[in-house]
Amino acid sequence: MTEESAHAHSDAIVFFGATGDLAKKQIFPALYRLVREQDLNVPIIGVARQGWKLDQLKERATDSLKEHGISPEGEAFEHMMQLLHYVDGDYKDPATLAGLRRELGAARHPLHYLAVPPSLFATVADGLAKSRSADGARLVVEKPFGHDRASAAALEAVLLRHFPEQSIFRIDHYLGKEPVQNILYSRFANPIFEPIWNRTHVQSIQITMAEDFGVEDRGRFYDETGAIRDVLQNHMLEVLAMLTMDPPTGEEHEAERDQRANLLKAVRPLDPAHVVRGQYEGYHAVPGVRPGSTVETFVAVRLEIESWRWAGVPIYIRSGKRLPVTASEVLVILKRPPRETFGEIVPAWSSHLRFTLSPDVSVGLGLRVKAPGERMVGRDTELILTRQPGADRPPYQRLLGDAMRGVSELFTRSDLVDAQWRIVDPVLDNVCPLYPYAGGSWGPQEAAQMIAHDGPWHDPRPGGPSDDGGH
């Protein structure tokens, strides 16, 4: 890749899988907002093997925008429709890629977005190279990046045959979410946190990502994936990295990713004894789920970071479907003073810092204040700064815009992917027992037993502080 290509703004967007669900749910709305708010003015070329014409793709895009509350009228809508092109055909057919090359015209630095199953990544990458559509181009791929550590390495080898590392943008949309970015900003923009952000002052850390809905219409996909691969290996470990990484040094574009990688490489691989897998009752009735499936819909783990900063600090992460609420939060529990001056019995979680990632965006500081009266006794309270996330830029808009400019900070890198798989590889594929749990509960009781020494779990409550009683 030339120096010019590395810094050039993409002059066309190509998205394979243009007729699929991801395009309808995320890509079309993101492209519209880029046109409306960031003056996107390059050819947008959809590629699929659906037997469609351009008018049908435009109809699909219109339906997508309507579903997102966007009126199919106005200057931005009309301009987006003018930018749309379509190439139909099998990705394995050289004629399809030759047709794409013709549609690209004079474009020298296209952005190719692979919104297709990972099994097709190699086919598309090979076709782009043979048609000379990969020259000077960038490649965007969606997770999952492999199915385990070995398959991820094999996938990397395929992509690197045709694209240099700096031209590959691996999307984990969680990194583009404003609340996740808020963790990093709050840590390093406020000097009060850094002196206490270590094993001397932090008792334990909890990260929860809860969903009150089930697998729904994703039965086939989910039954090949499960909670460990779907969210723990990527989303949850990325949040952990942002929460616990050292400050980026210098102003190089790679500085932040370097520190995330260093942190994840220091995380000890998961011990099956510190993993609880669960499956909600009724999962087997979901269309697409295999009879007798042992895929987990809930996972809780205990992690440790082998670094001077975090040695000995237990980190608990859990995620699941059919839980009581849909909410995500991070809770950093601070150590109590070595002696309680007023002789009270104070809960260990009394002093804490809480980041709510969804549905609201908030930062809460847990404090103990004196209760009214003559006695020197207190009560726990939380100072909360809350705002609604409605004004946030949607993650796909942010990430697509960054990829077009060659800005890679919010994308994951090959060594980051490998570090994530290294952590979860020992507990993949039924290594750990599977426990049933009732829908609407907080998962199997074994998760509560796992955290008993450092717990209990603090259950997110949308719009307010965590509950203080766990299960």
Side-chain angles (χ1 to χ4, degrees):
M1 187 179 209
T2 65
E3 187 71 18
E4 176 194 0
S5 299
H7 298 286
H9 195 288
S10 296
D11 51 8
I13 297 177
V14 180
F15 62 110
F16 291 81
T19 61
D21 284 345
L22 181 63
K24 187 174 184 181
K25 293 177 180 177
Q26 301 289 356
I27 298 177
F28 285 125
L31 290 171
Y32 171 81
R33 293 185 179 98
L34 286 170
V35 171
R36 184 186 65 187
E37 300 169 18
Q38 297 175 242
D39 299 322
L40 178 68
N41 189 30
V42 301
I44 302 171
I45 306 169
V47 185
R49 47 184 179 183
Q50 197 73 18
W52 284 12
K53 301 294 185 183
L54 177 59
D55 286 346
Q56 289 167 288
L57 183 69
K58 290 184 175 181
E59 183 178 343
R60 177 79 162 181
T62 301
D63 291 342
S64 167
L65 298 184
K66 286 180 179 178
E67 289 181 9
H68 286 79
I70 300 170
S71 173
E73 298 176 357
E75 184 177 342
F77 174 82
E78 293 297 331
H79 189 46
M80 178 177 165
M81 292 298 112
Q82 293 170 6
L83 295 174
L84 278 179
H85 301 249
Y86 182 64
V87 175
D88 192 89
D90 194 303
Y91 303 144
K92 298 179 182 178
D93 187 349
T96 303
L97 280 300
L100 170 61
R101 181 60 262 180
R102 289 193 296 272
E103 288 290 339
L104 284 170
R108 298 177 57 203
H109 305 292
L111 177 75
H112 298 295
Y113 192 132
L114 273 56
V116 297
S119 59
L120 293 173
F121 286 176
T123 299
V124 176
D126 287 340
L128 289 172
K130 291 175 181 176
S131 67
R132 301 190 64 80
S133 300
D135 298 347
R138 297 186 177 108
L139 187 73
V140 178
V141 294
E142 280 276 347
K143 78 169 186 74
F145 313 117
H147 197 66
D148 52 22
R149 193 178 188 187
S151 61
L155 175 60
E156 289 299 321
V158 168
L159 298 181
L160 289 172
R161 281 207 302 265
H162 306 302
F163 294 87
E165 172 63 29
Q166 64 266 32
S167 297
I168 301 174
F169 292 75
R170 303 167 189 82
I171 276 193
D172 181 346
H173 76 276
Y174 223 66
L175 287 173
K177 286 178 173 287
E178 194 71 34
V180 176
Q181 290 294 302
N182 187 49
I183 294 175
L184 203 64
Y185 186 86
S186 296
R187 278 193 59 200
F188 299 132
N190 297 289
I192 63 171
F193 295 135
E194 184 58 25
I196 63 171
W197 218 249
N198 52 58
R199 60 186 173 85
T200 304
H201 298 282
V202 174
Q203 181 72 38
S204 64
I205 294 172
Q206 296 185 23
I207 304 175
T208 295
M209 179 181 175
E211 295 173 330
D212 64 3
F213 51 87
V215 174
E216 313 300 343
D217 59 352
R218 301 171 69 222
R220 171 176 276 184
F221 163 79
Y222 200 88
D223 208 49
E224 296 176 353
T225 307
I228 295 176
R229 289 183 171 95
D230 191 37
V231 294
L232 175 62
Q233 181 269 339
N234 38 75
H235 300 337
M236 309 309 288
L237 290 180
E238 290 287 5
V239 170
L240 174 63
M242 288 195 166
L243 183 72
T244 56
M245 61 182 260
D246 286 338
T249 56
E251 298 181 359
E252 293 293 327
H253 286 310
E254 293 299 313
E256 181 184 315
R257 295 204 294 182
D258 286 344
Q259 295 295 358
R260 296 206 321 259
N262 289 340
L263 185 285
L264 289 172
K265 290 173 184 177
V267 176
R268 186 182 299 171
L270 280 168
D271 181 343
H274 296 153
V275 176
V276 173
R277 298 167 62 240
Q279 185 185 91
Y280 67 77
E281 296 170 357
Y283 173 73
H284 289 156
V286 176
V289 171
R290 295 163 296 176
S293 171
T294 55
V295 166
E296 76 281 348
T297 61
F298 172 96
V299 64
V301 303
R302 184 186 191 275
L303 288 165
E304 293 186 19
I305 301 172
E306 296 181 316
S307 70
W308 279 33
R309 180 190 285 262
W310 296 110
V313 177
I315 297 162
Y316 296 91
I317 300 177
R318 62 175 172 169
S319 179
K321 294 185 177 294
R322 288 280 175 88
L323 301 184
V325 298
T326 295
S328 299
E329 75 170 31
V330 173
L331 192 70
V332 179
I333 300 173
L334 303 173
K335 289 182 178 179
R336 295 295 304 162
R339 177 179 176 273
E340 294 292 349
T341 302
F342 303 104
E344 297 177 283
I345 298 176
V346 181
W349 45 262
S350 178
S351 298
H352 66 263
L353 188 68
R354 181 175 64 91
F355 294 96
T356 300
L357 309 181
S358 70
D360 297 331
V361 183
S362 70
V363 178
L365 180 63
L367 297 172
R368 193 158 178 85
V369 299
K370 183 181 177 299
E374 296 182 5
R375 298 176 59 207
M376 293 296 283
V377 295
R379 64 187 181 194
D380 293 308
T381 188
E382 189 177 56
L383 304 178
I384 306 175
L385 174 64
T386 305
R387 67 177 176 81
Q388 296 294 326
D392 292 346
R393 181 180 297 178
Y396 274 85
Q397 177 186 350
R398 178 196 296 264
L399 293 169
L400 272 175
D402 282 358
M404 291 190 69
R405 297 192 303 274
V407 178
S408 58
E409 281 93 337
L410 299 184
F411 296 83
T412 192
R413 207 168 56 187
S414 60
D415 59 337
L416 281 157
V417 172
D418 182 68
Q420 291 168 327
W421 281 120
R422 181 189 63 85
I423 294 167
V424 303
D425 238 30
V427 299
L428 295 176
D429 300 327
N430 299 323
V431 170
C432 308
L434 184 73
Y435 302 100
Y437 66 95
S441 72
W442 278 103
Q445 284 295 317
E446 287 76 7
Q449 296 166 16
M450 181 182 70
I451 201 176
H453 183 268
D454 301 297
W457 288 104
H458 292 258
D459 301 333
R461 189 171 65 218
S466 303
D467 291 340
D468 58 9
H471 292 272

